Amino acid sequence: MRRRAVILLALAMAITWIPAAAVCEEQTSVGFYFDTVVTVRLYDPDSRLMEDIMAACGRYENLLSKTVAGSDVDRINTAGGRPVTVDHETWEILTRAKEISERSGGAFSVTVAPLTAMWDFTEGTQRMPSDAERLVALPLVDDTAIVLGPDDTVTLPEHMQIDLGGIAKGYIADRIADLVRGRCAAALLNFGGNVYCVGIKPNGQRFKVGIRDPQGTPDSVFGAVSVADVSVVTSGVYERFFIKDGVRYHHILNPATGLPAWTDLAGVTVVDQSSMTADAAATACIVLGSEGALAFLTELGLDGLLVTNEGQILATPGFADKWVQ
Ligand code: ADP
Ligand code: MG
């Protein structure tokens, strides 16, 4: 589907944004954090807001990235079984991650880290684990083993590791949304597939967030949701992948096998006020497959849209209300 007014905001992202005519001062900045393009559009912001947002992104990257030495995640991963005192925000994310892991039957597991570390979906080396390496790592995947103690302590059994790639961007989107509320009329935040639409645009219109067609080119959308004050998060198997010997390997892993989650789903979009919940839930849905995903979304009271590998579209009843062609 083509629309004249479509502006692509994300390069390697599932989401495009379709703007209406602006009626006030708009400010847009693009940054690179969390291994992804971050786009922030503010409507009538105060003079320091954009600067504060980018500073917050830098702070969160230093707190939550597993590749930043000294980050909370790095300290947890290298603690060798000893308790680590972390920032309360890290502790909160892990609390929610454990809940979603439990409710998804382990489909979402931040302890999938030893396995994600064996794959390369970004650098182009097509590295993947041997069967033996994979089988050795599988017993290390178990979010119930993360012990969250009092005073923001985290204890992880020796050799286990965490990777917040499936939930951190959602948490950060929530916090940046909090930061902008009251300091600008409205905002559109895009953290690589995690979109947060804050408020209603000054011209009175809701935001439209386009949903990418998993079978199409990165700029093809097959519809959009019309929303206000809510987050729209998409996970797709087309985001980061490589093809080897005719097999497509993508970056969302099945924690039970350590292999890419090859289910009937190509893309999942979840809409919720909590971008953190929507982020983790969208990742879990890809692993669960359509039947499990619909049951999971219903049980958590979340609205979602599922696109199968064959292009079939399934949605929860609440999602249909937001859908615009
Ligand atoms: P993206 O980060 O591309 O927006 P997702 O939110 O779906 O996509 O998160 C995928 C990332 O989450 C992976 O790059 C990896 O770091 C991590 N991950 C992969 N599989 C799982 C899983 N089953 N549960 C939790 N995190 C996962
Ligand atoms: Mg996710």
Side-chain angles (χ1 to χ4, degrees):
M1 186 186 77
R2 286 185 160 270
R3 292 189 189 206
R4 257 178 47 222
V6 170
I7 295 174
L8 295 177
L9 282 180
L11 298 175
M13 299 171 199
I15 299 285
T16 53
W17 169 62
I18 304 166
V23 294
C24 68
E25 191 213 325
E26 289 177 23
Q27 200 183 339
T28 302
S29 269
V30 179
F32 194 79
Y33 297 97
F34 333 116
D35 213 15
T36 197
V37 179
V38 169
T39 309
V40 175
R41 174 163 295 210
L42 304 175
Y43 296 80
D44 275 346
D46 74 33
S47 61
R48 286 189 54 94
L49 182 53
M50 192 63 90
E51 211 179 303
D52 290 350
I53 290 171
M54 294 302 167
C57 287
R59 187 179 85 76
Y60 281 121
E61 177 143 46
N62 289 333
L63 195 65
L64 302 172
S65 169
K66 65 177 182 220
T67 54
V68 171
S71 73
D72 275 0
V73 170
D74 178 55
R75 290 190 305 114
I76 292 168
N77 286 346
T78 55
R82 288 182 299 278
V84 177
T85 302
V86 296
D87 193 290
H88 184 63
E89 294 192 82
T90 309
W91 195 90
E92 270 183 11
I93 297 169
L94 285 170
T95 303
R96 187 64 176 144
K98 271 173 70 83
E99 280 166 13
I100 294 178
S101 183
E102 191 190 335
R103 300 197 67 173
S104 66
F108 181 83
S109 294
V110 292
T111 52
V112 79
L115 285 153
T116 57
M118 292 177 180
W119 293 85
D120 171 23
F121 299 106
T122 50
E123 306 292 326
T125 64
Q126 303 202 333
R127 188 179 67 241
M128 60 190 289
S130 66
D131 286 350
E133 287 170 328
R134 202 165 46 80
L135 295 175
V136 165
L138 280 180
L140 301 174
V141 184
D142 176 11
D143 280 18
T144 64
I146 306 170
V147 177
L148 300 174
D151 301 325
D152 301 329
T153 57
V154 179
T155 314
L156 203 59
E158 201 177 1
H159 304 304
M160 285 181 66
Q161 296 201 336
I162 57 167
D163 172 349
L164 300 183
I167 189 168
K169 288 200 294 280
Y171 177 80
I172 296 160
D174 287 333
R175 293 291 75 81
I176 303 292
D178 286 346
L179 184 66
V180 306
R181 286 191 181 99
R183 291 182 59 182
C184 65
L188 183 76
L189 315 170
N190 192 337
F191 296 78
N194 280 64
V195 174
Y196 210 117
C197 307
V198 185
I200 288 202
K201 285 188 283 182
N203 63 7
Q205 293 197 350
R206 294 157 79 86
F207 289 98
K208 277 187 188 166
V209 181
I211 312 289
R212 176 173 158 183
D213 176 359
Q215 270 76 37
T217 55
D219 62 347
S220 59
V221 294
F222 61 74
V225 283
S226 171
V227 292
D229 240 347
V230 88
S231 180
V232 182
V233 180
T234 297
S235 274
V237 302
Y238 46 81
E239 286 289 336
R240 294 174 194 227
F241 66 92
F242 60 82
I243 295 174
K244 199 171 186 173
D245 300 330
V247 180
R248 188 186 167 94
Y249 297 91
H250 65 79
H251 76 314
I252 299 173
L253 300 183
N254 180 345
T257 64
L259 292 167
W262 289 307
T263 62
D264 64 338
L265 291 179
V268 175
T269 300
V270 178
V271 177
D272 195 60
Q273 274 178 335
S274 165
S275 193
M276 169 164 64
T277 297
D279 190 2
T283 305
C285 284
I286 294 279
V287 178
L288 290 167
S290 60
E291 206 181 311
L294 280 176
F296 168 74
L297 291 174
T298 306
E299 201 191 304
L300 267 73
L302 295 170
D303 290 329
L305 176 95
L306 316 176
V307 186
T308 69
N309 295 320
E310 271 70 50
Q312 193 192 357
I313 295 172
L314 306 160
T316 59
F319 196 94
D321 299 343
K322 301 170 180 68
W323 187 249
V324 285
Q325 282 295 330

